[in-house]
Amino acid sequence: MDQSKRVIFVTGGVLSSLGKGIVASSLGTLLEKEGLNVTIVKADPYLNIDSGTMSPYQHGEVFVTEDGAETDLDLGYYERFLNRPMTKQNHITSGKVFFETILRERKGDYLGGTVQVIPHITDEIKRQILNQPVDIDVIIVEIGGTVGDIESLPFLEAVRQLRFEIKHTLSVHVTLVPFIETSGEIKTKPTQHSVKELRSLGLNPDLIVCRSSVSLPKDHRKKIALFANMHPDCVFENPDVKTIYQVPLILQQQGMLEKVMDKLSLTAKNKVVMDDWKRMVESIIHPLHEVNIAIVGKYSSLADAYKSINESLLHAGIALNAKVNIHYIPSEELEEDGHSIDERLQQFDGILVPGGFGERGIKGKIATATYCRINKKPYFGICLGMQLAVIEYVQNVIGYAEATSAEFNPQAEHKVFHLMTDWIDDQNHVQQRTEQSDKGGTMRLGSQLCELQEGTQVYNIYKRKEISERHRHRYELNSIYIDQLQKHGMTVAGYSAHQHLAEVIELSDHPWFIGTQFHPEFQSKPTQPHPLFVNFIKTALEIKSS
Ligand code: GLN
């Protein structure tokens, strides 16, 4: 075992959604600013192998990594806070751990032994946690769920063993310290209980981060420290803030970085400078402009379903000193009262139609594309949003009223989008995945190169010919329609470098009507906003103020 690596475990107590991911990411940001190579691993106790088959209603969006893993949305936070891209190795699930172990058992690798949770499952968890690139100095491991859940027990047992086996580890416990409005009291009891629970599993926290709606008085800090067997300066607070990007600054102000470095016997390489980060936060808190963007989607009741898109819009706002107000419009509502679409949509400065699967709600999205095309409203179509913009064009401009995607009607005469079955696994640029539910379909996943056509609007936005963007879809623009589309004014502005598949469309007689087959939202960071999002918001702002 490589004893030079430091491992930080982040667990959560009391209840879920306390922002363990933000704490882990913020710690990552600070350690990276120290000059250390940091990565973050999410360990999810559920039995799904990955997040690919999970409904965004339950777990929020599926985040896609460069190497094509379909992961938990927390990996999106990790990428937005860190400089290093996440990979398949950064997401562990019980499903993945059990699957590997059972495969090994079938191969006879256990040589007649009984295969058990301890040590075989815990060994596999430990192997997957430590399976990180050699240059990594610090691995932060976020354990999903809450301490006390039955299903996370093998993970916590693996953490206990690792703490014994690795020289420099740290256990950070994120808990809730509720403030009772009626009595004006701050309650530390839930934290005491969750520390007790953690201890019963053989884990002593080194640091505690308290989520609270109010600032934690010294006495309460002392009390928590006493129960948790630690010094009061090991208890940190993470109060409600205007933006999650404040969290690294708040933790730094309380001296958390020094504490972590000290406990892990790390010596400072750099003086941590957070100036760029502070400027970014300042621009979120004090914007000069405002813009209203509608997301017309299927999962509009759950903001997490479009997490990376929301973030990308926010990042574009940071670059332009603008507050981007996001309004979710369920596309099904637009279907029901078609006559009022103009009324519903005209108030927005730009409209984004995100990705999605299945037929539900597509009529409303097609009507949205029609509205934006005719009324010159900025339109950003991502994946399914791009496909529907093309279908709308074929239906209403070229005139094939029944045009659709094979996803919605495999028997249709005009299948403008269809399945490509002759995939070439060219240097792993195309990943294959078969789902039980999907009649053996293939999914294009992960980063692929795309070549932009010089002179197009998109080329001028990226200012580059070759770009790399992430994919997660099955259907492709049927090339037999490309000539007709171009003749009628819809330009194919980019093709995949390896298979020459249409990737980007735009309308030239429109201020901003762009659709991408890929998902640009997976690459935007607050400190490096994505050019397409920035240009979309810039145009929306310009039109608004003209
Ligand atoms: N359902 C479409 C496809 O599979 C679009 C997928 C998406 O928007 N991510 O091609």
Side-chain angles (χ1 to χ4, degrees):
M1 201 162 290
D2 178 357
Q3 292 295 350
S4 68
K5 288 215 191 322
R6 271 57 172 176
V7 189
I8 302 177
F9 300 101
V10 181
T11 53
V14 187
L15 43 93
S16 59
S17 304
L18 287 180
K20 274 189 312 260
I22 309 289
V23 171
S25 305
S26 301
L27 209 48
T29 303
L30 295 173
L31 289 163
E32 237 185 25
K33 297 271 181 192
E34 261 308 342
L36 294 158
N37 290 329
V38 185
T39 196
I40 312 183
V41 176
K42 176 80 190 280
D44 271 320
Y46 50 68
L47 286 169
N48 304 58
I49 303 268
D50 61 26
S51 310
T53 54
M54 296 171 98
S55 159
Y57 273 127
Q58 291 198 12
H59 285 268
E61 87 175 1
V62 175
F63 184 80
V64 181
T65 57
E66 271 182 5
D67 64 349
E70 298 174 281
T71 70
D72 185 81
L73 57 72
D74 270 318
L75 272 84
Y77 285 116
Y78 306 163
E79 282 206 357
R80 292 188 279 272
F81 278 73
L82 296 185
N83 286 322
R84 179 178 281 268
M86 296 294 118
T87 68
K88 287 191 168 101
Q89 273 100 299
N90 292 83
H91 192 210
I92 306 177
T93 65
S94 292
K96 213 167 160 184
V97 168
F98 277 84
F99 192 64
E100 285 294 325
T101 312
I102 290 166
L103 280 182
R104 221 169 281 159
E105 185 273 334
R106 291 289 82 188
K107 277 200 277 166
D109 286 2
Y110 296 105
L111 307 171
T114 311
V115 183
Q116 293 177 297
V117 172
I118 304 171
H120 303 103
I121 293 292
T122 45
D123 278 354
E124 181 56 23
I125 293 173
K126 293 192 285 183
R127 188 191 68 78
Q128 292 195 17
I129 287 178
L130 299 176
N131 184 23
Q132 303 304 326
V134 279
D135 66 323
I136 291 291
D137 303 308
V138 184
I139 306 172
I140 301 177
V141 187
E142 179 190 349
I143 308 289
T146 309
V147 171
D149 297 345
I150 290 177
E151 49 180 18
S152 60
L153 286 176
F155 283 102
L156 294 168
E157 169 57 18
V159 172
R160 188 193 66 76
Q161 294 175 19
L162 281 174
R163 293 211 67 187
F164 178 70
E165 291 160 4
I166 296 178
K167 196 161 173 215
H168 300 290
T169 68
L170 196 70
S171 159
V172 179
H173 192 51
V174 182
T175 72
L176 177 75
V177 180
F179 172 66
I180 313 294
E181 298 252 353
T182 43
S183 61
E185 283 175 294
I186 297 170
K187 295 291 188 191
T188 61
K189 190 74 85 191
T191 298
Q192 293 174 32
H193 276 291
S194 106
V195 170
K196 205 167 133 194
E197 186 79 45
L198 200 57
R199 278 225 203 98
S200 71
L201 300 168
L203 286 166
N204 276 323
D206 299 302
L207 307 179
I208 288 186
V209 179
C210 303
R211 281 285 292 118
S212 176
S213 55
V214 292
S215 186
L216 219 56
K218 229 179 168 175
D219 281 355
H220 288 71
R221 215 177 259 241
K222 262 189 171 164
K223 196 166 162 190
I224 291 170
L226 189 68
F227 274 100
N229 223 4
M230 60 178 64
H231 199 271
D233 64 8
C234 293
V235 179
F236 297 88
E237 62 181 7
N238 181 8
D240 291 349
V241 277
K242 289 216 169 78
T243 156
I244 53 166
Y245 297 114
Q246 276 173 285
V247 178
L249 301 174
I250 284 170
L251 297 179
Q252 192 202 18
Q253 275 160 18
Q254 297 172 66
M256 189 165 180
L257 177 60
E258 289 75 15
K259 195 45 95 199
V260 168
M261 297 283 289
D262 182 43
K263 291 216 174 255
L264 289 176
S265 300
L266 285 165
T267 37
K269 284 191 200 162
N270 294 338
K271 183 174 166 353
V272 174
V273 183
M274 296 293 284
D275 293 356
D276 58 338
W277 201 271
K278 280 185 191 149
R279 264 197 304 278
M280 178 264 286
V281 166
E282 191 55 28
S283 148
I284 301 178
I285 298 175
H286 300 293
L288 300 175
H289 318 284
E290 197 165 352
V291 69
N292 287 296
I293 302 295
I295 296 184
V296 178
K298 179 156 109 179
Y299 303 107
S300 298
S301 57
L302 184 75
D304 268 1
Y306 302 118
K307 192 80 216 168
S308 293
I309 290 181
N310 302 341
E311 286 290 316
S312 303
L313 291 168
L314 173 86
H315 304 161
I318 296 172
L320 299 161
N321 253 307
K323 177 164 190 274
V324 182
N325 301 317
I326 300 172
H327 307 262
Y328 301 101
I329 308 225
S331 53
E332 279 172 308
E333 278 180 20
L334 298 180
E335 259 167 46
E336 282 153 21
D337 52 4
H339 62 280
S340 65
I341 284 190
D342 291 20
E343 244 167 69
R344 283 293 297 275
L345 299 182
Q346 68 190 10
Q347 54 184 310
F348 303 112
D349 306 308
I351 288 165
L352 190 150
V353 177
F357 293 84
E359 199 172 7
R360 186 158 70 75
I362 62 161
K363 272 197 208 138
K365 293 183 192 172
I366 290 181
T368 302
T370 312
Y371 171 83
C372 292
R373 177 173 58 77
I374 294 173
N375 295 286
K376 310 271 185 230
K377 183 75 83 186
Y379 177 93
F380 195 172
I382 295 181
C383 211
L384 184 63
M386 171 268 198
Q387 298 180 352
L388 296 175
V390 176
I391 290 170
E392 191 278 329
Y393 211 74
V394 176
Q395 286 180 353
N396 300 327
V397 179
I398 299 180
Y400 301 141
E402 304 303 318
T404 186
S405 164
E407 182 176 9
F408 314 126
N409 180 7
Q411 267 77 48
E413 190 191 342
H414 290 290
K415 287 187 289 254
V416 183
F417 285 83
H418 62 171
L419 277 180
M420 297 280 298
T421 38
D422 53 341
W423 293 113
I424 309 154
D425 193 351
D426 182 8
Q427 296 156 20
N428 281 335
H429 280 288
V430 177
Q431 317 259 340
Q432 303 240 354
R433 200 182 71 150
T434 324
E435 280 180 328
Q436 277 177 341
S437 59
D438 180 81
K439 319 108 206 165
T442 49
M443 183 88 112
R444 235 171 121 198
L445 280 169
S447 284
Q448 294 182 20
L449 293 178
C450 167
E451 275 170 15
L452 299 177
Q453 307 294 107
E454 278 175 49
T456 58
Q457 189 182 357
V458 173
Y459 177 89
N460 292 332
I461 293 171
Y462 276 94
K463 298 189 174 60
R464 271 206 312 270
K465 193 166 164 54
E466 196 173 71
I467 58 167
S468 168
E469 293 281 4
R470 299 184 197 177
H471 291 251
R472 183 177 184 245
H473 65 103
R474 277 193 191 90
Y475 295 86
E476 300 293 345
L477 178 54
N478 187 341
S479 57
I480 62 168
Y481 292 95
I482 293 181
D483 269 355
Q484 273 173 296
L485 281 168
Q486 310 235 69
K487 265 190 212 123
H488 284 83
M490 180 172 268
T491 309
V492 175
Y495 292 91
S496 69
H498 295 274
Q499 288 134 318
H500 214 65
L501 299 165
E503 299 271 59
V504 194
I505 57 95
E506 64 183 43
L507 289 182
S508 45
D509 65 341
H510 193 289
W512 217 97
F513 194 103
I514 292 174
T516 62
Q517 187 61 84
F518 47 74
H519 290 268
E521 73 272 22
F522 294 136
Q523 299 208 89
S524 177
K525 294 176 188 236
T527 46
Q528 286 159 260
H530 192 286
L532 277 180
F533 281 90
V534 176
N535 202 267
F536 173 60
I537 296 299
K538 185 167 168 268
T539 310
L541 274 167
E542 282 164 6
I543 295 177
K544 186 186 174 205
S545 56
S546 66

